[in-house]
Amino acid sequence: MPLGEFELIQRYFAQVSEASSDASVALGVGDDCALLNLPEGQQLAVSIDTLVEGTHFLPDIQPEQLADRLMGSTVSDLAAMGARPAWLTLALTLPQTDADWLKRFSSQLGIRCQEYSIALIGGDTTRGPLALSAQVHGFVPQGKGLCRHGAKPGDIICVSGNLGDSRGGLEGLLNGFANETHAEYLLKRFYSPVPRIGLGQSLVGSASSCVDISDGLLSDLAHILKASGNLGARLQIEALPISSQLVDTYGEQQAQQWALTGGEDFELCFTLPPEHLALIPSLPTSVAVIGKVTEESELSLFLRGEACEIAGSGYDHFHQS
Ligand code: ADP
Ligand code: MG
């Protein structure tokens, strides 16, 4: 007999909620609303993301991979704001109640909730084509959220981790890997993005702007530059952090192109006033300095000192915006 909505929530999500809740949750899953305590002096950072089968993921995705992707991409928005994760609501649209799928999805969701210290506090469950919406809520000290609009000419442009890996993983999924040596690494980078939660919070009070890289470095950096008053930037391509696995699999040029334009790495791109440069070695994630913010509103790329152009949607997008 198929599970009813109530049993489904009880069986698979109430437990995740209980295990992940802390004192900030006065009332979690089970009532008409959750009741929540916002700590004094903190602002609430809120963001929602939706994943739809066929648009954001392929039908053969594993439930664990889906939970990872959903959690990584949504919690990344909190990281980009410098917020500490607090609460999660989950809207699930399911074609059927598949007990095995629900068990695997909800346990992986629980694992990520623990890891990111975020409490599942409610949601909605309906029937229909597979789609998932996650709304995340986080705490950020009053007035200290890392916005897109604070960059100034002369600020240093930084990015965390490695860029382009996720695009490399997607390429392998869609067209097969030319060589399988690093397939596992690249697929993991695609399916399980790591939200840079600690880094985001470490940048509060120092970074002048921040964004997480969901559409590609050039495109997301363009958001910062535009929001900061139509500023520009000079980027050093050889300074881009790129994994040896990506270069080994696709070659240096392709890797650089994807580092600039490939989306869904969920690394942070932020600007630092030069006086805060000394902070970099103490940050919890490796960070590369890749360029500088300029007064004139152009984004220029340099490869070993020579000006260059790189074709690709991210760059085109910048010109259209
Ligand atoms: P209502 O009809 O009042 O909106 P629901 O029957 O949709 O309530 O949900 C009952 C309770 O279960 C609510 O507290 C809701 O937040 C929670 N809930 C529903 N679906 C989920 C889910 N997928 N994950 C977590 N909590 C859920
Ligand atoms: Mg409902």
Side-chain angles (χ1 to χ4, degrees), residues 3 19 24 35 47 56 58 69 72 77-78 90 123 126 153 168-171 200 216 223 227 257 268 270 281 287 293:
L3 278 180
S24 70
L35 293 173
S47 171
H56 302 99
L58 301 169
R69 222 107 210 281
D77 285 316
L78 292 177
L90 175 68
T126 53
L170 176 63
E171 185 69 18
H223 294 316
Q257 161 104 26
L268 298 186
F270 57 95
V287 159
V293 179

Side-chain angles (χ1 to χ4, degrees), residues 2-26:
L3 278 180
E5 185 189 332
F6 179 77
E7 288 80 15
L8 185 157
I9 296 162
Q10 276 308 311
R11 187 172 303 177
Y12 299 106
F13 296 102
Q15 211 181 330
V16 174
S17 173
E18 248 165 67
S20 56
S21 292
D22 63 10
S24 70
V25 183

Side-chain angles (χ1 to χ4, degrees), residues 252-274:
E252 191 180 32
Q253 246 190 322
Q254 182 65 87
Q256 286 174 337
Q257 161 104 26
W258 285 341
L260 288 166
T261 62
E264 304 190 318
D265 281 314
F266 299 105
E267 295 296 345
L268 298 186
C269 172
F270 57 95
T271 56
L272 266 188

Side-chain angles (χ1 to χ4, degrees), residues 155-176:
D155 284 356
I156 310 292
I157 300 168
C158 304
V159 291
S160 64
N162 286 320
L163 300 181
D165 283 344
S166 182
R167 181 64 183 81
L170 176 63
E171 185 69 18
L173 266 185
L174 295 177
N175 302 318

Side-chain angles (χ1 to χ4, degrees), residues 145-281:
L146 301 175
C147 302
R148 297 177 177 193
H149 62 244
K152 297 270 180 318
D155 284 356
I156 310 292
I157 300 168
C158 304
V159 291
S160 64
N162 286 320
L163 300 181
D165 283 344
S166 182
R167 181 64 183 81
L170 176 63
E171 185 69 18
L173 266 185
L174 295 177
N175 302 318
F177 290 95
N179 94 61
E180 293 278 334
T181 319
H182 304 296
E184 196 183 322
Y185 166 85
L186 294 171
L187 286 174
K188 184 152 186 269
R189 295 278 293 158
F190 173 75
Y191 279 125
S192 309
V194 178
R196 301 300 187 186
I197 302 166
L199 176 62
Q201 288 174 78
S202 306
L203 295 173
V204 168
S206 306
S208 49
S209 70
C210 187
V211 71
D212 67 328
I213 301 178
S214 51
D215 296 337
L217 172 65
L218 292 179
S219 177
D220 290 310
L221 175 60
H223 294 316
I224 285 184
L225 298 172
K226 196 168 180 205
S228 300
N230 285 320
L231 297 175
R234 296 165 67 94
L235 295 186
Q236 262 70 51
I237 290 178
E238 65 273 18
L240 294 171
I242 299 177
S243 70
S244 58
Q245 291 92 331
L246 190 66
V247 175
D248 283 354
T249 309
Y250 296 105
E252 191 180 32
Q253 246 190 322
Q254 182 65 87
Q256 286 174 337
Q257 161 104 26
W258 285 341
L260 288 166
T261 62
E264 304 190 318
D265 281 314
F266 299 105
E267 295 296 345
L268 298 186
C269 172
F270 57 95
T271 56
L272 266 188
E275 65 266 28
H276 290 307
L277 202 56
L279 181 73
I280 292 179

